[in-house]
Amino acid sequence: MDWEETAQEREFRQEVRAFVRDRFPACYRPDPEAEHSLEPEDVWGYDWPADRRSADPERRAAARAWAAALAERGWIAPHLPVAYGGAGLSPMREFILREEMMRAEVPTVNGIGAMLLGPTLVEYGNDEQRAAHLPGIARGETVWAQGFSEPDAGSDLASLRTTAVREPAEASDAADAEVYRVNGQKVWTSSAQHADWLFVLVRTDPRAPKHKGISFLLIDATSPGITIRPLRDMRGADPFAEIHFDDVRVPVANRVGEENRGWYVAMAALGFERAGIGATIKFERVLERLITSLRSAQGQDFRRADTAVLRHEIAQRHIELRVQYAMARLTASRQTAGAVPGYEASVSQLLGAELHQRLARTGAKAFGPYAQLWQRDGAPMDAAFAHMRFDAVAATLLGGTTEIQRSVIATRGLGLPRS
């Protein structure tokens, strides 16, 4: 892998910095009371899917203006072909774009739709599906949510029980297409309450082996029979929701890939999810702020006494961040060479999840008993690490548990037997 950027890539990095400086709306500021987003590509203080529908007209207008500015360049979904509203960027240029946006701490737009579903439709969708959905994703007009997890099928995703029964077209109306009747429940679906569409795994053959009876459907979130209820977490935020499907009619034409082969489509989508740079830069910025705070006069009043141990911990976190950055860049390099993200993406996911928890503990221990302060006013670093400890609880569950990631690394990366 070549660590040196080309002259063209360095020029592109400067272009991105200038664009963010000149086009990001000055009135679109982080919400100081917001909890950190649980999505790795999001930045603190922003929730773009919610902001675009905010009751505050200024925030709503700013969120939409930022989406419009990015869409002009095709930078909402930069990997998509230009014909569908993307920029056709190489994986390495997309890596640079995401990195610089995270360093500037400006929000991404249409995260799950752009980063997961977009490339999945390019790879597995048909021409009609790409034409129907990719332009809306690339313009920031259609927000998507991922309906995979279920109450009794979290880590063992293939054990899902939401069913889709295929029905023929209505004999009384020849214009009606074949449909699936979808029934079941999804849970822990990020931003589902803000979504226009859902991409969902359903069981279409209950008699097939569990990995081979699953299909991948695109479902309009406003379809009759869908109920979406936000779920409150222990921080008091509601970043995700549960979704109930009660005889929801979904056209068979909305199936991505072959019937009963949706598992392979879903695994490709999750590979795109795990390949991002966002979490690395987010954690780098947090560590930088921790060091700056500890060196300040206020930080010295709050910090723990045994600074030698603290220095060692901070150095260890810095080393781990550089390893995670290297893995993210390796994934981008492999994509540039034409490879599909594989076990390297699971390594990145595993590193990021566990680093999130270790970094939260290091920051909390740095301030000793003061890290127990939850109210931001007057607390060290505005209680950032008190809140981060709560954020980090779910890190080793989101996007696939650490046990699942280790299994992928062992079997696909190291070639070890499954049993």
Side-chain angles (χ1 to χ4, degrees):
M1 177 176 121
D2 187 359
W3 287 94
E4 292 295 324
E5 289 182 353
T6 65
Q8 293 79 10
E9 288 168 347
R10 289 193 294 272
E11 183 179 346
F12 180 70
R13 189 179 290 278
Q14 294 303 317
E15 179 185 346
V16 174
R17 290 175 181 175
F19 171 82
V20 172
R21 182 185 64 243
D22 297 339
R23 298 298 302 276
F24 187 71
C27 61
Y28 195 12
R29 301 182 181 90
D31 179 355
E33 298 301 320
E35 294 295 343
H36 286 270
S37 167
L38 299 180
E39 294 299 319
E41 300 292 338
D42 289 344
V43 297
W44 172 76
Y46 296 100
D47 183 353
W48 183 83
D51 292 343
R52 74 179 184 125
R53 293 178 172 176
S54 173
D56 178 350
E58 184 177 57
R59 192 166 191 83
R60 183 172 65 249
R64 296 186 179 190
W66 177 230
L70 287 168
E72 285 178 18
R73 297 288 188 100
W75 284 358
I76 289 179
H79 47 279
L80 292 184
V82 173
Y84 294 116
L89 294 188
S90 69
M92 190 54 70
R93 286 200 174 203
E94 183 184 2
F95 179 95
I96 292 169
L97 173 63
R98 299 295 185 200
E99 180 180 356
E100 289 301 322
M101 287 180 64
M102 292 299 294
R103 290 195 186 283
E105 298 183 318
V106 296
T108 56
V109 168
N110 226 350
I112 288 177
M115 296 177 195
L116 272 70
L117 185 64
T120 302
L121 288 181
V122 169
E123 185 74 20
Y124 292 96
N126 57 39
D127 289 341
E128 290 76 16
Q129 291 166 345
R130 288 190 282 265
H133 297 295
L134 292 182
I137 290 172
R139 292 192 296 264
E141 295 173 352
T142 310
V143 169
W144 290 78
Q146 171 192 313
F148 284 8
S149 296
E150 296 193 3
D152 297 314
S155 298
D156 187 12
L157 180 59
S159 294
L160 63 91
R161 295 188 295 185
T162 296
T163 60
V165 178
R166 190 165 180 166
E167 296 182 351
E170 293 288 344
S172 60
D173 187 352
D176 276 2
E178 284 189 299
V179 299
Y180 291 110
R181 289 274 185 179
V182 178
N183 286 278
Q185 180 185 359
K186 300 293 178 177
V187 74
W188 316 127
T189 305
S190 297
S191 297
Q193 63 270 44
H194 307 301
D196 304 299
W197 279 75
L198 315 167
F199 55 100
V200 180
L201 287 183
V202 295
R203 186 159 300 285
T204 41
D205 186 352
R207 295 164 298 189
K210 65 180 184 179
H211 290 87
K212 297 184 178 179
I214 293 172
S215 296
F216 189 109
L217 297 183
L218 310 178
I219 303 179
D220 186 336
T222 63
S223 299
I226 292 180
T227 303
I228 299 175
R229 298 191 184 99
L231 294 173
R232 184 155 301 218
D233 64 20
M234 62 182 172
R235 308 169 305 168
D238 53 359
F240 33 57
E242 61 180 356
I243 309 172
H244 294 267
F245 300 90
D246 183 12
D247 273 344
V248 178
R249 299 176 81 248
V250 181
V252 171
N254 286 15
R255 187 189 68 236
V256 178
E258 299 177 36
E259 189 170 84
N260 300 325
R261 299 277 296 175
W263 178 258
Y264 306 99
V265 181
M267 291 304 99
L270 291 177
F272 292 116
E273 177 183 40
R274 295 168 185 156
I277 181 63
T280 306
I281 306 305
K282 182 187 292 188
F283 297 154
E284 279 187 3
R285 300 289 284 169
V286 169
L287 188 61
E288 289 168 3
R289 287 198 179 106
L290 174 62
I291 294 170
T292 299
S293 175
L294 292 172
R295 287 172 172 168
S296 70
Q298 184 192 44
Q300 291 178 29
D301 291 338
F302 284 125
R303 77 185 183 196
R304 58 195 279 186
D306 52 341
T307 55
V309 174
L310 181 57
R311 285 173 182 271
H312 176 79
E313 281 202 33
I314 290 174
Q316 186 63 35
R317 299 294 86 81
H318 180 76
I319 292 168
E320 291 162 354
L321 278 166
R322 300 320 301 161
V323 171
Q324 190 183 18
Y325 182 91
M327 284 303 307
R329 192 173 177 95
L330 173 62
T331 300
S333 297
R334 286 181 54 78
Q335 289 177 304
T336 300
V340 175
Y343 76 93
E344 301 92 348
S346 286
V347 173
S348 293
Q349 172 79 4
L350 179 62
L351 283 172
E354 296 190 345
L355 175 56
H356 189 178
Q357 294 180 344
R358 287 195 293 269
L359 182 56
R361 288 196 295 269
T362 294
K365 287 191 289 184
F367 296 113
Y370 295 105
Q372 305 298 319
L373 297 174
W374 183 258
Q375 298 299 322
R376 297 185 186 276
D377 187 29
M381 290 186 66
D382 298 323
F385 281 97
H387 289 252
M388 189 178 185
R389 282 186 303 157
F390 279 57
D391 303 340
V393 170
T396 49
L397 303 174
L398 295 170
T401 66
T402 54
E403 291 82 2
I404 294 295
Q405 306 306 342
R406 285 187 166 88
S407 178
V408 171
I409 295 165
T411 55
R412 298 184 192 174
L414 302 177
L416 297 177
R418 292 185 178 275
S419 59

